[in-house]
Amino acid sequence: MGEVLAVLSGKGGTGKTSVCAGLATALAREGKRVLCVDCDVGLRNLDISLGMTDSGALSFLDVCEGGYSLEQAAVHPLYPSLRFLTAPVNRPVQEISQTAFSQMLRQARTQFDYIFLDAPAGVDAGFYLIAQPADRFLLVTGPGPAAVRDAARVADLLELMGKGNTRLIVNRVSRKMLRTVGTTIDDVMDTAGLPLIGVVLEDPRVTLAASFGQPLLQYGPKGPAAKALRRIAKRIEGYPVPVSLR
């Protein structure tokens, strides 16, 4: 059975969506069967980070309501084991059936090794839609105090919901900035109250890849962000890969 991983953030601007796309493509490169679901109803952009803006993808609501099957999800042009469902634009998230969404994910577990849910930032109705059925949680934060405080709030809410297995990803890290403000990754972990699964350095290739309509692992495979995401993907698979700031 496959696993459902919710990729969350406490606030916008942490790079959550680029992290989600990078991890999904890293696993698909290894031959894993991966489904990416953009759950950011109203502000969808996972297709950009995946390099699938021209895919004409179905929305997850199309599948939830029975009009289409998971087999009809858009196939990635470079990674054939990766499929994608976008977010709907014609339905408020409050009107999406939790039961139907969870049922779709139960079916997806039988067809994919990993299902990534790119959650909306914050803790509105979209957060609860994806938090209920997820098996694991990847909480993406920047190193700044506001982002870390918001991440800690999300972690507290997950704990109140009885959800465990949450890991922290510190994204867009500048070593120079950390030295300047006297902050360490350990400080971020202590404030968020979560164990670390990875650190991703600031890398202009992330923005450039999206601008050119390419996945990061294709556009900038030797850059620090791509290397970090490949390491995190290995940890998701259970390999004891050390955390690195390179």
Side-chain angles (χ1 to χ4, degrees), residues 139-160:
L139 184 50
V140 181
T141 182
V148 177
R149 178 185 292 179
D150 288 346
R153 173 60 176 156
V154 172
D156 289 342
L157 287 174
L158 289 172
E159 185 175 359
L160 288 172

Side-chain angles (χ1 to χ4, degrees), residues 174-238:
S174 163
R175 285 177 291 214
K176 180 179 180 181
M177 186 275 289
L178 291 178
R179 290 194 299 268
T180 300
V181 301
T183 299
T184 67
I185 299 300
D186 285 342
D187 294 332
V188 175
M189 292 169 59
D190 290 344
T191 302
L194 290 171
L196 185 72
I197 195 172
V199 177
V200 184
L201 292 179
E202 185 70 67
D203 187 347
R205 296 171 185 83
V206 176
T207 301
L208 289 170
S211 298
F212 287 113
Q214 297 184 38
L216 174 65
L217 269 65
Q218 181 72 18
Y219 178 84
K222 296 183 179 179
K227 290 179 180 178
L229 291 166
R230 287 196 296 268
R231 288 193 295 266
I232 296 170
K234 284 294 185 184
R235 292 184 205 109
I236 288 172
E237 291 186 86

Side-chain angles (χ1 to χ4, degrees), residues 1-243:
M1 294 289 286
E3 283 189 293
V4 177
L5 296 95
V7 185
L8 307 161
S9 66
K11 67 188 297 293
T14 64
K16 164 186 58 63
T17 294
S18 62
V19 167
C20 180
L23 295 175
T25 51
L27 289 163
R29 278 167 56 100
E30 300 298 318
K32 301 299 181 182
R33 298 169 300 165
V34 180
L35 175 66
C36 270
V37 185
D38 191 337
C39 299
D40 197 352
V41 176
L43 293 173
R44 57 185 188 176
N45 56 22
L46 180 57
D47 59 314
I48 297 173
S49 294
L50 286 170
M52 296 185 69
T53 54
D54 298 326
S55 66
L58 298 171
S59 80
F60 69 77
L61 197 58
D62 293 326
V63 178
C64 286
E65 295 187 340
Y68 297 86
S69 68
L70 288 170
E71 289 80 4
Q72 293 170 283
V75 179
H76 198 283
L78 297 175
Y79 311 115
S81 65
L82 173 60
R83 290 178 178 263
F84 170 60
L85 293 172
T86 191
V89 295
N90 57 352
R91 189 76 59 84
V93 67
Q94 295 86 350
E95 296 180 11
I96 295 174
S97 167
Q98 179 76 68
T99 300
F101 186 70
S102 297
Q103 183 176 349
M104 179 192 74
L105 294 177
R106 282 194 293 272
Q107 179 63 35
R109 284 186 177 92
T110 69
Q111 298 177 226
F112 298 92
D113 301 306
Y114 297 100
I115 301 101
F116 283 90
L117 307 181
D118 183 31
V123 290
D124 61 7
F127 165 81
Y128 290 98
L129 178 72
I130 66 92
Q132 289 292 347
D135 303 310
R136 285 203 264 178
F137 300 89
L138 303 174
L139 184 50
V140 181
T141 182
V148 177
R149 178 185 292 179
D150 288 346
R153 173 60 176 156
V154 172
D156 289 342
L157 287 174
L158 289 172
E159 185 175 359
L160 288 172
M161 294 173 67
K163 298 292 185 176
N165 208 357
T166 304
R167 297 294 182 268
L168 188 69
I169 297 175
V170 187
N171 191 34
R172 294 181 171 171
V173 172
S174 163
R175 285 177 291 214
K176 180 179 180 181
M177 186 275 289
L178 291 178
R179 290 194 299 268
T180 300
V181 301
T183 299
T184 67
I185 299 300
D186 285 342
D187 294 332
V188 175
M189 292 169 59
D190 290 344
T191 302
L194 290 171
L196 185 72
I197 195 172
V199 177
V200 184
L201 292 179
E202 185 70 67
D203 187 347
R205 296 171 185 83
V206 176
T207 301
L208 289 170
S211 298
F212 287 113
Q214 297 184 38
L216 174 65
L217 269 65
Q218 181 72 18
Y219 178 84
K222 296 183 179 179
K227 290 179 180 178
L229 291 166
R230 287 196 296 268
R231 288 193 295 266
I232 296 170
K234 284 294 185 184
R235 292 184 205 109
I236 288 172
E237 291 186 86
Y239 293 101
V241 179
V243 175

